[in-house]
């Protein structure tokens, strides 16, 4: 039976690291829909212009992407999967251009600044700021520049037909971004794999009054049932001083009675609770 | 008695939002030392080239700056203060340039992308990506551009002599960055104000084995003594699967016996514990 490819939204140009995440989650049989902002990604999913969306949620150097946590609370989608992408900066040039020809390297300023040791070792090569990482690869290839390269993902090199002259240009190799796969609730369940033989995670958000010990009491719902936490983060609620929103990742499945009892217990203690998704743990 | 101005390091160009934080913490009597990277800021402080350093630690949209938490653990400095800077994007042009003359607006891509509604409402004005926010203000003023403006901080407008044509261009006003003031340990105590009549905070980092309930037990050290948490965040320890580093902000002072007992209790439970500083709560 032949089916059309699912459409999947992400933020950025074609060849952005988010597209690498889409590939890890879906393989090749997918139609990617690049969006300019994170909000546009959520709106595309809400308006059924796409079947799924892939968003970054935290980076090991830069931290959690709070804007996307806020959208997760505001929109009503389910997290159906996660994947971790190694942020690997490649030096990409037009075919035939040799490393010794290079005098300029284009990329987003954040990417250029993550490769300072490369530029210190190669003082003849100038940093050239550009609007977008994948966009700089596209430009260098389209203009067929012979003295220039761009810094971008391996996916961008492939999409725009560039050759990779150097890999792993980044100063700090501990640079990973975690992405969530989102679907509308009515689609979520039928796309999830069977629960057995996998590790599962649950992501939820709750708020409590910030009286001393309120987080401690909330965590007792899980600790007293030997349910393990993978991540915790707090964030002040804007406009409501002394009230906090907590994001938790748990190891477990919402089909597990022990987890259901823990969530019921947390509901008694919290002012607000939303389970954002239950999904297979990424590699 | 006349004293020379203290030298204070920060990351970015003159007029960066970090310089606004320096001003909030020190007033005008300070010599700022701009550095290219966060690591350079820490190295300047270690090598006694500056008396203090000011670093961003979290942004309400983008999250915690994990790189700086990592530097705080690696270098041996003390957090002596904090301040919150409203990230307010101003439209800055050369004196005499009118809003209706504008055809181009320069800034860092991140700043341009935080002002998309402004560009949607003003379709005649093109976004022009530039290397640095404060640097774009400097360039527009130095080149005396008559059809262009830059997006940057009010401090940048003042430093480079620009006039502010519009304020609060950003789409999302909930954009604040929290900064830490750091000193070498031998200098820290004599610069701190008296403890009375102020609220104080303590920032610490600890690790535990990730057995279920280990965080719960660690938090009991504070909850059982009615000590309140202001922030909590966890972060996996790279290369040590299932072990986590937790960052906590507490409300309290290390001179308080109750706090000392709580820290002693946490020390029993944690594999690693470091108090990074005790400082007056920022506004």
């Amino acid at each position: 039976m032949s089916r059309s490819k699912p459409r999947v939204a992400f933020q950025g140009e074609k060849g952005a690291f988010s597209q690498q995440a889409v590939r890890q989650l879906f393989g090749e049989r997918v139609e990617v829909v690049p969006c300019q902002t994170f909000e546009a990604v959520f709106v595309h999913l809400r308006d059924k212009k796409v079947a799924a969306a892939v968003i970054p949620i935290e980076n090991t150097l830069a931290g959690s992407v709070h804007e996307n946590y806020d959208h997760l609370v505001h929109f009503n989608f389910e997290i159906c999967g996660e994947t971790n992408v190694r942020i690997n900066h490649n030096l990409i040039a037009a075919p035939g251009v040799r490393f010794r020809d290079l005098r300029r390297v284009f990329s987003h300023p954040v990417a250029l600044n993550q490769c300072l040791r490369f530029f210190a070792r190669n003082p003849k090569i100038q940093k050239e700021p550009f609007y977008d990482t994948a966009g700089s690869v596209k430009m260098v290839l389209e203009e067929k520049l012979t003295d220039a390269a761009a810094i971008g993902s391996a996916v961008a090199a492939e999409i725009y037909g560039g050759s990779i002259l150097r890999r792993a240009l980044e100063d700090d190799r501990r640079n990973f971004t975690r992405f969530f796969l989102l679907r509308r609730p009515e689609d979520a369940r039928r796309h999830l794999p069977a629960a057995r033989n996998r590790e599962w995670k649950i992501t939820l958000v709750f708020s409590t009054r910030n009286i001393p010990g309120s987080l401690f009491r909330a965590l007792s719902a899980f600790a007293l049932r030997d349910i393990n936490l993978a991540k915790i983060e707090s964030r002040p609620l804007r406009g409501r001083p002394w009230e906090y929103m907590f994001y938790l990742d748990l190891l477990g499945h919402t089909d597990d009675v022990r987890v259901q009892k823990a969530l019921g217990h947390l509901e008694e203690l919290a002012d607000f609770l939303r389970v954002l998704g239950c999904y297979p743990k990424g590699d």
Side-chain angles (χ1 to χ4, degrees), chain A residues 125-141:
Chain A
I125 299 180
Q126 290 299 309
K127 295 196 289 270
E128 296 279 352
F130 203 75
Y131 198 72
D132 177 90
T133 308
S136 68
V137 177
K138 184 181 179 192
M139 185 276 292
V140 164
L141 272 291

Side-chain angles (χ1 to χ4, degrees), chain A residues 234-254:
Chain A
S234 74
R235 186 161 149 70
L237 279 172
R238 232 139 264 287
R240 290 162 65 189
W242 308 111
E243 295 187 45
Y244 287 76
M245 196 83 110
F246 295 96
Y247 302 113
L248 287 190
D249 291 352
L250 311 172
L251 299 178
H253 197 290
T254 46

Side-chain angles (χ1 to χ4, degrees), chain A residues 6-9 41-53 72 75-80 181-192 276:
Chain A
R7 286 165 57 82
V8 180
V41 172
F42 281 82
V43 169
H44 268 66
L45 185 56
R46 183 195 63 195
D47 296 348
K48 304 191 179 181
K49 291 184 180 156
V50 294
L72 281 172
F75 289 85
N76 188 30
F77 302 135
E78 275 192 44
I79 305 166
C80 297
L181 161 63
L182 307 180
R183 294 187 187 273
R184 291 180 296 275
E186 64 271 24
D187 296 340
R189 278 277 150 165
R190 65 189 166 90
H191 281 283
L192 282 175
L276 298 172

Side-chain angles (χ1 to χ4, degrees), chain A residues 128-274:
Chain A
E128 296 279 352
F130 203 75
Y131 198 72
D132 177 90
T133 308
S136 68
V137 177
K138 184 181 179 192
M139 185 276 292
V140 164
L141 272 291
E142 283 184 352
E143 308 274 322
K144 296 190 177 65
L145 300 181
T146 56
D147 68 337
I151 291 175
S153 71
V155 178
E158 197 184 305
I159 290 174
Y160 301 113
S163 56
I164 296 179
L165 297 180
R166 292 278 189 285
R167 290 175 194 275
L169 248 58
E170 65 274 12
D171 299 329
D172 191 334
R173 307 274 159 100
R174 300 167 308 162
N175 195 349
F176 290 83
T177 300
R178 178 181 174 219
F179 290 84
F180 279 157
L181 161 63
L182 307 180
R183 294 187 187 273
R184 291 180 296 275
E186 64 271 24
D187 296 340
R189 278 277 150 165
R190 65 189 166 90
H191 281 283
L192 282 175
R196 66 200 78 198
N197 298 331
R198 307 187 68 127
E199 273 201 287
W200 287 72
K201 278 165 97 171
I202 298 163
T203 294
L204 58 85
V205 53
F206 68 95
S207 66
T208 64
R209 293 291 306 277
N210 188 31
I211 49 175
S214 57
L215 174 63
F216 177 69
R217 272 192 294 276
L219 293 185
S220 74
F222 305 104
L224 299 174
R225 292 174 178 89
D226 292 337
I227 296 168
N228 214 346
L229 303 184
K231 184 183 181 218
I232 181 167
E233 197 165 326
S234 74
R235 186 161 149 70
L237 279 172
R238 232 139 264 287
R240 290 162 65 189
W242 308 111
E243 295 187 45
Y244 287 76
M245 196 83 110
F246 295 96
Y247 302 113
L248 287 190
D249 291 352
L250 311 172
L251 299 178
H253 197 290
T254 46
D255 286 348
D256 178 349
V257 175
R258 207 172 39 121
V259 169
Q260 288 165 0
K261 288 197 196 277
L263 293 174
H265 185 173
L266 178 59
E267 206 156 29
E268 286 174 53
L269 301 166
D271 293 335
F272 163 80
L273 168 64
R274 264 269 296 284

Side-chain angles (χ1 to χ4, degrees), chain A residues 8-15 19 32-37 41 44:
Chain A
V8 180
F10 67 90
Q11 189 273 329
E13 289 278 320
K14 280 195 184 180
Q19 189 168 349
V32 293
V33 180
C35 297
Q36 207 182 0
T37 63
V41 172
H44 268 66

